[in-house]
Amino acid sequence: MANVELPQTMQAVVCHGPEDYRLEELPTPKRGAGELLVRVEAVGICASDLKCYHGAAKFWGDENRPAWAETEAVPGHEITGEIVELDDAARAEWGVEAGDRVVVEQIVPCWDCRYCDTGNYHMCAVHNMYGFKRANPGGMEEYMVMTPGSLVHKISKDIPPAHAAFAEPLSCALHAVERANITFADVVVVAGCGPIGLGMIAGAAAKYPAQIVALDMDERKLELAKKTGATTVINIANEDAVAKIKEMTGGYGADVYLEGTGHPSAVLQGLNCLRKLGRFVEYSVFKDDVSVDWSIISDDKELDVLGAHLGPGCWPAAIRLIEEGKLPMDEICTHQLPLADFQKGLDLVSAGKESIKVSLIPGGASTQNAGQA
């Protein structure tokens, strides 16, 4: 197809190091063979974006690898946009057309390592990702290129862009739920009712366990947890969560604990909440090291402790949940800001008091959903 008329330059947020992100005018990218050129409609701001912004020293778990995005990289990995240019190779790879709205998984697998070869592409040894390296600019820009080998999914244009971009964190939350192997008889505890925790609650509810207990310190988020599927909520600022959960379970404790806060105290809380032979799933990225008595895991309870990274295989389910209106998306996606207000967006996520999910809308105006502070 003929190239559409595009502006010569565009706005983009560019990383120049920890706490040094700048709005700049960059040349509009040109797609190569087999690539998609996408007009970005929305990009969510994630807690990991915030940790990268602040340059947390242990973010990647490797002191030799910097925590923040590479200098001159464009951040943002919760991306949705409209395809404006493609070729036949791209059509064949992804089954898309110009005008389609798509979302893209943040990982760009190499498809040629031990993990990719065994179907575990989310653990790719190379581990290129949109929004962290110069080679794969993220969504905090007006136009971006999606490269061959990326995992691209179509999503409805009938939903708001910020809702579509929520497919990325929701898929991650669903993967954590899958790792837990939830059964109908289980009492499931979800720590944290931010975007990931709410996604975990929704995913757990789809498994129909006996109970889903949501933990948080924010009454507004706990009310939203009820709408997402929690059967019981506990404000840990006012109640002893461990004592209440043991009371609910005849003194035994919960069967499953899903950690979605990124706060070190939530780890020990989970170990204490669980019954013997329980299952602990850790999703969060931590700014600081976490120290616990590991004998709880071994000698005391013989727990299964599982990690969860990204959302492999969970994107179709996440997209269905959003498209079918299974989640209160208007209340989850609280703030949409223009790209120029990226710093305000980072600050909203950092404060954690006014917002649930904050998104940037390139070329758009600020909106704040009704009922939000």
Side-chain angles (χ1 to χ4, degrees):
M1 64 176 289
N3 287 350
V4 298
E5 190 68 31
L6 296 172
Q8 294 296 309
T9 62
M10 65 173 185
Q11 285 190 327
V13 177
V14 180
C15 170
H16 290 275
E19 300 185 1
D20 187 8
Y21 285 19
R22 308 172 198 171
L23 186 70
E24 298 182 2
E25 198 79 10
L26 299 181
T28 301
K30 299 184 184 300
R31 67 168 182 85
E35 296 182 336
L36 299 176
L37 181 63
V38 173
R39 180 179 62 83
V40 179
E41 296 181 287
V43 54
I45 300 178
C46 172
S48 63
D49 289 320
L50 191 67
K51 289 180 173 70
C52 280
Y53 172 74
H54 289 302
K58 298 291 183 66
F59 176 72
W60 293 112
D62 180 350
E63 292 184 69
N64 296 316
R65 184 178 182 183
W68 50 89
E70 289 180 349
T71 56
E72 301 180 13
V74 175
H77 59 270
E78 298 179 3
I79 304 160
T80 191
E82 179 186 20
I83 298 172
V84 294
E85 285 186 9
L86 77 167
D87 59 16
D88 288 340
R91 285 188 184 89
E93 180 168 359
W94 295 301
V96 295
E97 288 290 346
D100 286 345
R101 174 186 280 169
V102 294
V103 289
V104 62
E105 300 192 28
Q106 67 168 286
I107 186 121
V108 186
C110 74
W111 301 113
D112 192 30
C113 69
R114 174 179 182 175
Y115 303 107
C116 290
D117 287 347
T118 55
N120 296 301
Y121 69 87
H122 64 303
M123 299 307 297
C124 173
V126 180
H127 225 77
N128 284 328
M129 303 175 84
Y130 285 109
F132 297 95
K133 294 189 176 184
R134 288 184 292 275
N136 296 104
M140 292 188 189
E141 56 185 349
E142 294 183 273
Y143 294 87
M144 68 172 289
V145 169
M146 295 177 185
T147 56
S150 299
L151 293 134
V152 175
H153 308 270
K154 287 195 288 189
I155 191 167
S156 173
K157 299 184 79 169
D158 295 331
I159 59 177
H163 296 190
F166 193 71
E168 198 283 331
L170 182 55
S171 70
C172 294
L174 296 183
H175 178 51
V177 169
E178 280 198 331
R179 293 281 282 161
N181 293 316
I182 293 169
T183 71
F184 296 131
D186 283 339
V187 173
V188 178
V189 176
V190 176
C193 298
I196 292 296
L198 293 171
M200 289 174 171
I201 292 167
K207 299 287 188 179
Y208 209 68
Q211 295 189 66
I212 302 172
V213 183
L215 310 181
D216 206 287
M217 301 176 69
D218 186 328
E219 286 294 337
R220 179 184 54 130
K221 291 180 180 178
L222 290 170
E223 286 301 311
L224 194 49
K226 293 177 186 177
K227 297 180 182 181
T228 312
T231 56
T232 301
V233 298
I234 301 174
N235 188 323
I236 61 173
N238 304 327
E239 297 184 80
D240 183 334
V242 175
K244 185 164 184 178
I245 290 164
K246 287 190 174 180
E247 180 184 341
M248 292 169 55
T249 56
Y252 288 101
D255 303 282
V256 174
Y257 183 87
L258 302 172
E259 202 292 299
T261 71
H263 195 284
S265 65
V267 177
L268 182 59
Q269 173 182 262
L271 297 178
N272 289 330
C273 279
L274 284 169
R275 65 167 172 83
K276 294 179 180 180
L277 304 176
R279 303 185 296 286
F280 187 119
V281 180
E282 181 56 68
Y283 170 81
S284 295
V285 174
F286 290 86
K287 179 182 176 182
D288 301 308
D289 291 342
V290 180
S291 297
V292 296
D293 179 359
W294 273 61
S295 62
I296 299 172
I297 298 168
S298 57
D299 191 50
D300 290 0
K301 295 186 176 182
E302 196 177 320
L303 300 177
D304 288 338
V305 179
L306 303 162
H309 177 59
L310 303 184
C314 295
W315 282 73
I319 290 168
R320 287 197 304 272
L321 282 170
I322 295 169
E323 290 181 339
E324 294 173 8
K326 302 296 187 183
L327 297 171
M329 292 302 302
D330 283 333
E331 295 178 72
I332 293 173
C333 296
T334 53
H335 294 75
Q336 294 86 53
L337 306 172
L339 206 57
D341 287 348
F342 74 90
Q343 188 63 58
K344 179 181 178 182
L346 289 166
D347 293 342
L348 278 166
V349 176
S350 181
K353 301 296 184 184
E354 299 176 41
S355 66
I356 305 292
K357 170 52 66 177
V358 179
S359 299
L360 300 178
I361 311 293
S366 294
T367 62
Q368 185 171 311
N369 291 345
Q372 299 300 330

